[in-house]
Amino acid sequence: MSGGPSLLQQRQKKEGTTLDIRLKKINKIYREGDIVAGVVVIETHGVSGEVQHQGVTLTMEGLVTLQLSAKSVGLFEAFYNSLKPITLVNNSLEVAKPGKFPGGKTEIPFEFPLKPKGNKTLYETYHGVFVNIQYTLKVDMKRSLLSKDLQKQVEFLLEYKSEADTEKTKISPLPFTIAPETLTNVKEKQNVPQFKVKGRFDSSSLKITNPLTGHLTVEQCEAPIKSIEIQLVRVETCGCAEGYAKDATEIQNIQVADGDVCRGLSIPIYMIFPRLFTCPTLSTNNFKVEFEINIVIVFLDDHLVTENFPIKLTRY
Ligand SMILES: *[C@@H]1O[C@H](CO)[C@@H](O)[C@H](O)[C@H]1NC(C)=O
Ligand SMILES: *[C@@H]1O[C@H](CO)[C@@H](O)[C@H](O)[C@H]1NC(C)=O
């Protein structure tokens, strides 16, 4: 058989009208006050001719959604209201009045200013577990009673526009020593082998576009080491004055040493912050998004020790 379209593809193609949004900016990154420009594309497929419609509308929305972890739900019922979604942007724009589009492809250009609702602060885009900050552009085509309304949504990303929106990075080197006596999260210290790991992070305050860098050295360790790992952790807090729920979850884990590393050898630390899953450290009345680094040392018998370091992410 030749590589022509399958029956299913043919059938989907025949199916009437499609709606799409194409943004002019390929990276889809915008700042407060920017014009979000693009085209709404209406396309009819197959035999169908012109498209009747009851108006085409674009809606720009920015929303913070907060969710409780299973362990916090009971705790929170009393003040559930404080967890309602927070609307940061809510604007609409009519791109076509009720009428007809011709058969084939129609492109309607639009320019939509990105403005906050009231005096709201536009926080940076962030995809988390319990906190989500998302900006979307949605196009709706209303149809007559006999045809289904059409809708399409795209996400765009928001970044702070200037230093005034956020704290500036202050380089602050963070030297560390990890040894049995420094561990605060171990109950039975007698089970931990004697060891000493020294090192430093070049800064605990970082521009989100820069990597986390530093180095560590295993100066001494009586047990064989299996692995040394650097974990990036998000700490999300939902709540308010009446109480809050705080949850830490892992974003990514990077192995910096594999096997029983040479004692006295300096091992570099290098970690890039994944966009979407990180944002400048954020603290508001209703929620917080903070980040931490764990250094994890795994011994050959799979015992592990962890040391935790809060870091601060900034945009500028
Ligand atoms: C968003 O705007 C629409 C129309 O302007 C309004 O009906 C709706 O209530 C608004 N939603 C929020 C959450 O502000
Ligand atoms: C924002 O506006 C609301 C009411 O619209 C007001 O209560 C609040 O104090 C204002 N916040 C700031 C920071 O101006």
Side-chain angles (χ1 to χ4, degrees):
M1 272 185 54
S2 69
S6 71
L7 202 59
L8 180 65
Q9 281 168 332
Q10 287 178 23
R11 215 173 266 157
Q12 280 172 338
K13 267 208 126 152
K14 255 184 218 158
E15 213 185 286
T17 310
T18 57
L19 194 58
D20 202 5
I21 301 174
R22 300 217 185 104
L23 296 176
K24 218 177 217 173
K25 270 183 109 170
I26 302 290
N27 67 9
K28 298 184 182 172
I29 297 172
Y30 297 90
R31 291 154 185 207
E32 186 179 335
D34 278 358
I35 302 289
V36 179
V39 287
V40 170
V41 184
I42 297 126
E43 201 166 2
T44 61
H45 300 283
V47 290
S48 47
E50 55 191 22
V51 189
Q52 294 270 3
H53 67 94
Q54 302 298 313
V56 178
T57 313
L58 268 179
T59 308
M60 189 186 277
E61 197 174 56
L63 214 54
V64 181
T65 47
L66 305 173
Q67 214 184 337
L68 290 174
S69 59
K71 79 170 166 59
S72 315
V73 168
L75 183 79
F76 253 81
E77 260 155 357
F79 49 99
Y80 208 77
N81 270 349
S82 60
L83 288 184
K84 276 199 299 222
I86 304 163
T87 302
L88 306 176
V89 181
N90 181 23
N91 289 314
S92 357
L93 188 72
E94 186 182 57
V95 291
K97 292 203 186 311
K100 287 178 202 166
F101 293 118
K105 190 167 167 184
T106 307
E107 294 195 346
I108 310 174
F110 64 83
E111 292 196 337
F112 209 159
L114 172 49
K115 287 212 191 93
K117 182 186 171 196
N119 57 8
K120 288 280 170 33
T121 302
L122 299 187
Y123 307 120
E124 289 213 3
T125 296
Y126 168 70
H127 292 193
V129 180
F130 306 106
V131 177
N132 264 285
I133 305 171
Q134 231 169 317
Y135 297 84
T136 53
L137 205 54
K138 194 174 72 186
V139 61
D140 284 286
M141 185 195 281
K142 289 248 183 301
R143 313 281 303 270
S144 64
L145 287 177
L146 291 178
S147 315
K148 258 196 349 197
D149 291 351
L150 296 177
Q151 191 178 81
K152 172 84 189 207
Q153 183 168 317
V154 294
E155 180 177 8
F156 61 92
L157 311 183
L158 191 122
E159 272 181 12
Y160 291 134
K161 68 173 188 296
S162 71
E163 290 174 14
D165 294 337
T166 169
E167 256 179 82
K168 209 167 147 49
T169 314
K170 276 196 228 82
I171 301 292
S172 45
L174 180 61
F176 57 81
T177 301
I178 312 173
E181 58 274 16
T182 70
L183 300 172
T184 52
N185 51 3
V186 177
K187 286 192 196 86
E188 294 166 43
K189 285 199 184 167
Q190 69 272 21
N191 291 342
V192 176
Q194 272 308 315
F195 72 97
K196 189 186 245 183
V197 173
K198 279 185 124 171
R200 76 172 223 160
F201 294 112
D202 295 329
S203 180
S204 61
S205 165
L206 292 135
K207 253 176 86 164
I208 196 166
T209 46
N210 288 348
L212 170 80
T213 56
H215 57 84
L216 61 81
T217 303
V218 179
E219 293 200 332
Q220 175 217 337
C221 185
E222 63 174 20
I225 292 172
K226 186 177 181 184
S227 172
I228 301 178
E229 285 153 35
I230 309 290
Q231 279 176 355
L232 175 62
V233 171
R234 69 198 135 206
V235 182
E236 296 168 311
T237 308
C238 300
C240 52
E242 295 103 73
Y244 61 89
K246 187 168 175 174
D247 292 277
T249 48
E250 185 185 320
I251 301 174
Q252 67 182 8
N253 190 66
I254 289 178
Q255 190 178 28
V256 295
D258 185 19
D260 198 21
V261 296
C262 272
R263 310 304 188 246
L265 182 76
S266 174
I267 299 167
I269 295 172
Y270 188 94
M271 181 188 269
I272 288 172
F273 297 107
R275 189 54 191 122
L276 294 183
F277 306 116
T278 51
C279 64
T281 300
L282 185 55
S283 177
T284 77
N285 288 338
N286 301 94
F287 67 95
K288 284 189 209 174
V289 181
E290 295 161 304
F291 299 93
E292 295 176 352
I293 296 291
N294 285 337
I295 295 182
V296 185
I297 302 163
V298 188
F299 299 106
L300 195 58
D301 64 0
D302 282 329
H303 260 89
L304 56 83
V305 293
T306 300
E307 194 70 288
N308 176 266
F309 304 90
I311 55 170
K312 177 165 231 162
L313 295 182
T314 61
R315 171 62 57 190
Y316 293 100

